[in-house]
């Protein structure tokens, strides 16, 4: 009876057309049977459940059904199979089962079976080796057994072209190897070929985590079991056996370097820092230290920069200034890159090297470590070229680096502010940050503490960066500069530097980590004007990014903090803009009078945008009008909050959401009425695409329904009912 039930459970767990929940229940029942049989004192029950056939059937279920099953249930099956294999009553039978399982897993990984099984095969082999159920020596022996027929091994492999080209060290086995000491003749080549295959799987995003974990576990166990039979270090180069496959993998598939950088390199480097340093020194490191790469192998150069970035995250690489030698600068425990070499590489012809060098400058193991003044100067001198790069991938890397810079600036300010508070250098008793903001441009005496001086330098850099982003948003700038600056501006706003940005827009790090000890209003009058202009940009992503920045500052506009900084400037003012918020001067040399051009008139901005939309009829201009309505909707939400607090709002149409919706619907009705009389004129002079999109962006369905239900019943028999019905469907 128990055998019948067990067969039914196995059949259900291996069925194809069942749901994942049903399969999870069957797998849980199967694990219960196997675990009970493992601890049972009844010999008949134990022999029935703990058998070769049952184990193999359960193992096949794990490999074949992992792709369409819940991970937790399949993980439980793997854990149960491992426990049975380690406690099998008959050691000889357990060895047969184990060897057969290892051969099956290796054949899947090496590409001679279905690709859908690769991920569970890697996970199973990683679990077996990490738990000590399968020794590394057995894995190597199985690799050699598969290697006795290289043609069969590579017939379905992921690297057949490499074997044909001779770039993979596939060992031919013959009778001469059998007379030599065990494994010495071919274990290194077998391991290197196996690792190349593993690294090939890393380039597949769905398999990359499992492949990287197994690679790390494989060499971690191999390093512990290093012996004359199976070695961790190469017998000739004395480097770890993963070094040569890693280089070959990069040479054969350079586009997979990014996957290796994020998945494999950190796992391998953390095994032993000495091995990592030896590997980096086997790359063209001397060329990097000199700032040039004459006759250097290009894949190895890129691998070097990726390795340095990973090693720097582990605290093993440091950028040092010229002439500065620290106590440990001559030892072999760290790699020291001179700042002069980084300065030369920032202007290298290769964008990849430039980005990698910039990342090397800003990366640190501590997020609260202040930047050195030369590093800040290098960033200021070279950041423009990164924003103008035509390669989208390069700009995306720059945005990632910008996020790291802002996060580290926040940590540095917090750390320096704490140091200043401990030093108690504020004789007047005022806050340190306010004092620094007032006197950051003043001449400082030699007795100023280093923390205060560093705070001033970081504050000056932060103000420069805000002005720099404003200059990148000028109307004459390229698309690349616009989109990169807008993304960087969003990062800065979401960091919490400007306390007028609502909490909902702040990043997770800004909400949970340390806060800025200072507040700087980021969006100034001219920058705000340029954001409004970019909301009508021909490029959709530029419009979206500009509107996002406007929505983040809409709270300030609604509350009134920026009530007099939104200006309707003449067109000529958009072309020539001076971006110095701290010391902006007029043509006469005095302070610029912002009161003359600081009238809050969002209605005029929207009116101008609608005129442009009507005159051109372009879809991008219509979308820009809709997004401006979206910004107005955000401002109305802030105004409503103020009204609840007792402040009286002005009686204008754009101060409430319902008034905005009524105005949009009124324009729609006018367009439809015009279309009834003259369709050609309506298409040319009264496009309605922008108004329909505005209703969609603002989620105005309920307000539209309320608007039309409040009218008299006879209005539903007129043409205006079409607007209401279509808008509600929208």
């Amino acid at each position: 009876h128990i055998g019948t039930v067990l067969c039914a459970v196995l059949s259900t767990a291996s069925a194809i057309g069942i749901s994942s929940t049903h399969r999870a229940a069957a797998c849980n029942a199967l694990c219960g049977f196997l675990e009970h049989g493992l601890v049972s004192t009844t010999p008949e029950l134990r022999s029935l459940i703990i058998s070769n056939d049952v184990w193999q059937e359960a193992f096949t279920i794990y490999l074949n059904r992992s792709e369409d099953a819940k991970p937790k249930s399949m993980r439980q099956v793997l854990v149960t199979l491992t426990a049975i294999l380690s406690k099998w009553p008959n050691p000889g039978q357990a060895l047969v089962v184990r060897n057969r399982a290892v051969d099956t897993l290796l054949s899947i990984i090496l590409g001679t079976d279905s690709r859908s099984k690769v991920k569970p095969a890697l996970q199973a082999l990683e679990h077996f080796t990490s738990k000590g159920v399968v020794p590394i020596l057995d894995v190597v022996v199985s690799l050699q057994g598969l290697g006795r027929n290289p043609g069969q091994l590579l017939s379905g492999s992921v690297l057949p072209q490499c074997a044909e080209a001779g770039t993979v060290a596939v060992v031919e086995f013959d009778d001469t190897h059998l007379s030599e000491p065990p494994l010495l003749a071919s274990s290194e080549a077998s391991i290197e070929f196996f690792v190349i295959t593993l690294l090939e799987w890393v380039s597949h995003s769905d398999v990359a985590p499992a492949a990287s974990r197994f690679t790390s576990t494989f060499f971690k166990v191999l390093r512990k079991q290093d012996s004359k039979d199976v070695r961790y270090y190469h017998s000739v180069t004395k480097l770890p056996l993963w070094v040569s496959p890693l280089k070959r993998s990069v040479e054969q598939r350079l586009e997979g370097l990014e996957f290796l950088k994020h998945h494999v390199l950190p796992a391998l480097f953390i095994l032993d820092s000495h091995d990592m340093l030896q590997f980096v020194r086997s790359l063209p490191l001397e060329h990097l230290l000199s700032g040039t790469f004459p006759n250097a192998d290009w894949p190895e150069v890129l691998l070097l920069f990726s390795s340095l970035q990973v090693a720097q995250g582990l605290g093993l690489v440091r950028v040092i200034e010229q002439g500065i030698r620290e106590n440990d600068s001559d030892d072999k425990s760290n790699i020291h890159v001179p700042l002069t070499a980084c300065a030369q590489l920032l202007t290298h012809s290769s964008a990849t090297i430039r980005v990698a060098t910039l990342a090397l400058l800003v990366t640190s193991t501590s997020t609260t470590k202040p930047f050195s003044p030369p590093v800040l100067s290098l960033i200021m001198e070279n950041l423009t070229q990164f924003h103008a790069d035509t390669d989208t991938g390069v700009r995306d890397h720059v945005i990632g680096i910008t996020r790291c810079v802002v996060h580290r600036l926040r940590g540095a300010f917090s750390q320096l502010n704490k140091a200043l508070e401990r030093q108690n250098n504020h004789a007047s008793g005022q806050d340190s940050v306010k004092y620094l903001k007032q006197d950051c441009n003043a001449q400082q005496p030699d007795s100023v503490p280093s923390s205060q001086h560093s705070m001033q330098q970081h504050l000056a850099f932060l103000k420069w960066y805000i002005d720099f982003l404003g200059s990148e948003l000028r109307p004459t700038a390229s698309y690349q500069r616009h989109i990169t600056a807008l993304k960087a501006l969003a990062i800065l706003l979401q960091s919490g530097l400007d306390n007028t940005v609502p909490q909902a827009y702040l990043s997770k790090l800004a909400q949970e980590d340390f806060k800025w000890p200072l507040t700087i209003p980021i969006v100034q009058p001219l920058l705000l004007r340029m954001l409004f202009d970019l909301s009508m940009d021909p490029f959709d992503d530029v419009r979206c990014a500009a509107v996002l920045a406007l929505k983040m500052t809409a709270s300030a506009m609604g509350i009134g903090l920026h009530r007099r900084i939104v200006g309707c400037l003449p067109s000529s003012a958009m072309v020539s803009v001076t971006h110095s918020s701290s010391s902006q001067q007029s043509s006469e040399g005095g302070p610029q009078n912002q009161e003359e051009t600081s009238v809050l008139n969002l209605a005029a901005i929207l009116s101008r945008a609608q005129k442009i939309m009507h005159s051109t009829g372009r879809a991008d201009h219509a979308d820009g009008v809709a997004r401006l309505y979206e910004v107005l909707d955000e401002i109305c939400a802030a105004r409503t909050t103020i009204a609840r607090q007792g402040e009286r709002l002005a009686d204008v149409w754009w101060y409430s959401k319902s008034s905005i919706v009524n105005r949009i619907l009124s324009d729609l009705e006018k367009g439809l009425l015009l279309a009834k009389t003259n369709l050609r004129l309506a298409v040319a002079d009264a496009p309605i695409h922008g108004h329909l999109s505005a209703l969609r962006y603002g989620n105005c369905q309920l307000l539209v329904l309320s608007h039309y239900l409040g009218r008299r019943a006879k209005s539903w028999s007129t043409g205006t009912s079409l607007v209401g019905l279509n808008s509600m469907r929208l």
Side-chain angles (χ1 to χ4, degrees):
H1 179 67
I2 294 179
T4 304
V5 175
L6 179 59
C7 290
V9 171
L10 287 170
S11 177
T12 304
S14 61
I16 297 178
I18 63 175
S19 64
S20 58
T21 304
H22 193 178
R23 195 182 307 280
C27 290
N28 291 336
L30 175 61
C31 293
F33 267 101
L34 298 179
E35 291 170 356
H36 183 73
L38 186 62
V39 298
S40 176
T41 57
T42 305
E44 293 79 5
L45 179 61
R46 198 174 169 87
S47 61
L48 174 65
I49 296 180
I50 310 302
S51 64
N52 186 3
D53 294 338
V54 173
W55 196 95
Q56 290 292 344
E57 182 67 22
F59 187 59
T60 303
I61 291 172
Y62 169 77
L63 292 176
N64 293 340
R65 300 292 173 246
S66 290
E67 189 177 21
D68 54 355
K70 293 184 177 181
K72 188 175 181 180
S73 61
M74 285 299 168
R75 177 71 178 178
Q76 183 61 33
V77 172
L78 179 60
V79 171
T80 303
L81 291 174
T82 305
I84 294 174
L85 203 57
S86 61
K87 299 179 181 179
W88 202 290
N90 188 338
Q93 189 179 16
L95 181 62
V96 173
V97 173
R98 186 183 69 189
N99 291 340
R100 184 181 300 175
V102 171
D103 289 342
T104 301
L105 295 175
L106 289 178
S107 64
I108 294 173
I109 295 171
L110 293 175
T112 59
D113 208 322
S114 174
R115 176 179 169 178
S116 62
K117 300 179 183 178
V118 173
K119 183 177 180 180
L122 288 167
Q123 292 172 338
L125 196 55
E126 189 269 336
H127 190 73
F128 289 160
T129 54
S130 63
K131 298 300 180 182
V133 176
V134 176
I136 290 295
L137 184 61
D138 287 5
V139 177
V140 177
V141 170
S142 296
L143 281 172
Q144 292 176 319
L146 294 172
R148 293 182 187 278
N149 189 355
Q152 180 181 358
L153 175 65
L154 292 173
S155 60
S157 176
V158 294
L159 293 174
Q161 70 280 9
C162 300
E164 294 174 1
T167 56
V168 178
V170 180
V171 178
E172 295 285 352
F173 294 91
D174 51 36
D175 295 338
T176 58
H177 289 91
L178 302 178
S179 61
E180 297 180 0
L183 306 181
L184 276 180
S186 58
S187 62
E188 293 178 357
S190 299
I191 291 174
E192 287 184 345
F193 167 71
F194 183 49
V195 174
I196 281 187
T197 307
L198 292 176
L199 297 180
E200 176 70 16
W201 284 119
V202 173
S203 61
H204 301 272
S205 58
D206 57 332
V207 188
S212 60
R213 279 195 301 269
F214 173 66
T215 304
S216 174
T217 301
F218 180 84
F219 282 104
K220 182 179 180 180
V221 177
L222 180 62
R223 190 171 181 274
K224 291 181 179 179
Q225 300 179 2
D226 189 17
S227 63
K228 65 178 182 179
D229 292 333
V230 56
R231 294 171 174 171
Y232 175 75
Y233 295 99
H234 197 279
S235 58
V236 178
T237 63
K238 306 303 179 183
L239 294 173
L241 287 175
W242 51 262
V243 171
S244 179
L246 187 60
K247 291 182 179 179
R248 292 179 183 175
S249 178
V250 174
E251 291 175 358
Q252 296 162 6
R253 189 184 288 270
L254 188 59
E255 62 273 13
L257 180 58
E258 197 67 22
F259 288 96
L260 296 177
K261 174 184 173 182
H262 291 291
H263 295 284
V264 177
L265 293 182
L268 293 177
F269 286 1
I270 204 172
L271 295 178
D272 189 280
S273 60
H274 176 73
D275 293 340
M276 186 278 299
L277 293 173
Q278 291 297 108
F279 164 67
V280 172
R281 291 187 175 106
S282 70
L283 299 172
L285 181 62
E286 294 300 325
H287 296 308
L288 182 145
L289 299 180
S290 64
T292 57
F293 290 95
N295 302 323
D297 189 22
W298 187 244
E300 288 198 353
V301 171
L302 300 182
L303 179 59
L304 170 64
F305 278 96
S306 297
S307 302
L308 287 177
Q309 292 179 51
V310 175
Q312 190 177 33
L314 300 175
L316 300 174
V317 176
R318 303 182 66 181
V319 178
I320 59 174
E321 300 177 25
Q322 185 179 11
I324 297 181
R325 288 293 178 183
E326 303 186 20
N327 295 332
D328 61 344
S329 60
D330 294 329
D331 62 19
K332 302 299 182 181
S333 60
N334 289 283
I335 295 177
H336 297 273
V337 180
L339 193 63
T340 53
C342 292
Q344 296 179 28
L345 294 176
L346 282 175
T347 58
H348 196 273
S349 58
S350 169
T352 304
I353 289 183
R354 294 198 303 269
V355 172
T357 305
L358 182 63
L360 199 64
L361 285 174
V362 304
T363 305
S364 175
T365 54
S366 173
T367 57
T368 60
K369 181 180 179 181
F371 291 97
S372 65
V375 170
L376 294 178
S377 299
L378 283 178
I379 295 175
M380 295 168 66
E381 292 172 4
N382 297 276
L383 193 57
T384 302
Q385 60 176 322
F386 291 101
H387 279 226
D389 201 289
T390 56
D391 189 344
T392 305
V394 172
R395 297 198 305 272
D396 289 341
H397 282 298
V398 172
I399 291 300
I401 294 172
T402 301
R403 190 174 285 106
C404 295
V405 170
V406 173
H407 183 50
R408 186 172 165 186
L409 280 173
R410 182 172 55 223
F413 270 108
S414 179
Q415 186 74 11
L416 292 171
N417 190 57
K418 290 179 181 178
L420 287 177
E421 289 177 352
R422 287 193 301 266
Q423 293 172 0
N424 195 18
N425 289 321
H426 317 299
S428 61
Q430 57 184 337
D431 181 78
S432 61
V433 175
K434 292 181 180 179
Y435 176 78
L436 288 171
K437 289 175 67 176
Q438 293 171 1
D439 298 336
C440 64
N441 296 322
Q443 184 71 25
Q444 297 294 330
D446 296 336
S447 60
V448 174
S450 59
S451 297
Q452 183 173 339
H453 185 58
S454 181
M455 176 87 86
Q456 293 168 352
Q457 291 173 333
H458 283 70
L459 184 60
F461 171 80
L462 197 55
K463 289 186 174 181
W464 170 87
Y465 186 63
I466 295 173
D467 293 338
F468 166 75
L469 293 181
S471 67
E472 294 290 276
L473 297 178
R474 64 189 183 273
T476 55
S478 63
Y479 159 78
Q480 290 79 12
R481 294 184 183 275
H482 281 166
I483 190 62
T484 309
L486 286 170
K487 290 181 179 179
L489 181 63
I491 293 173
L492 206 56
L493 289 170
Q494 293 169 349
S495 70
L497 179 60
D498 191 338
N499 63 356
T500 62
V501 177
Q503 186 80 6
Y505 286 106
L506 297 183
S507 64
K508 185 177 296 185
L509 288 176
Q511 296 180 22
E512 299 176 356
D513 213 336
F514 36 75
K515 309 295 183 182
W516 290 93
L518 74 164
T519 297
I520 296 179
I522 297 176
V523 180
Q524 296 296 325
L526 294 178
L527 177 58
L528 196 59
R529 168 58 192 267
M530 285 186 284
L531 289 176
F532 275 110
D533 288 335
L534 288 175
S535 65
M536 302 285 287
D537 193 84
F539 295 96
D540 180 68
D541 51 349
V542 173
R543 295 196 303 272
C544 291
V547 168
L548 176 61
L550 288 171
K551 290 171 66 176
M552 283 190 280
T553 58
S555 177
M557 290 186 282
I559 293 174
L561 295 179
H562 290 70
R563 186 166 299 176
R564 298 190 58 76
I565 67 171
V566 182
C568 294
L569 304 180
S571 301
S572 59
M574 297 188 297
V575 179
S576 178
V577 178
T578 303
H579 298 273
S580 179
S581 58
S582 59
S583 59
Q584 191 171 13
Q585 302 292 320
S586 64
S587 59
E588 289 81 5
Q592 184 179 15
N593 186 4
Q594 297 183 358
E595 297 295 331
E596 296 178 359
T597 59
S598 299
V599 181
L600 182 60
N601 197 345
L602 293 178
I605 295 176
L606 185 58
S607 176
R608 187 191 67 161
Q610 287 178 324
K611 288 180 180 179
I612 296 175
M613 177 187 70
H614 291 157
S615 63
T616 63
R618 286 167 43 175
D620 55 338
H621 289 161
D623 185 71
V625 170
R627 294 187 182 279
L628 286 178
Y629 273 115
E630 183 183 5
V631 176
L632 286 179
D633 179 69
E634 195 80 16
I635 296 175
C636 288
R639 294 278 182 187
T640 304
T641 303
I642 298 304
R644 291 171 183 170
Q645 298 174 358
E647 181 179 322
R648 184 176 178 276
L649 300 181
D651 187 16
V652 292
W653 66 267
W654 52 273
Y655 265 43
S656 67
K657 187 170 183 177
S658 60
S659 299
I660 294 176
V661 172
N662 291 338
R663 185 179 181 89
I664 295 173
L665 294 175
S666 176
D667 291 341
L668 280 173
E669 292 169 359
K670 292 178 182 178
L672 288 178
L673 291 175
L674 180 60
K676 283 185 175 182
T677 57
N678 191 333
L679 181 59
R680 180 178 297 179
L681 183 62
V683 171
D685 296 340
I688 61 174
H689 171 235
H691 299 88
L692 292 174
S693 298
L695 295 177
R696 177 170 61 89
Y697 290 146
N699 295 320
C700 304
Q701 291 89 341
L702 293 179
L703 287 175
V704 172
L705 181 62
S706 175
H707 174 84
Y708 283 100
L709 287 180
R711 292 192 172 189
R712 293 178 300 173
K714 66 176 184 179
S715 64
W716 292 92
S717 62
T718 64
T720 56
S721 62
L722 296 175
V723 181
L725 292 175
N726 291 333
S727 299
M728 284 184 285
R729 287 179 187 142
L730 258 168

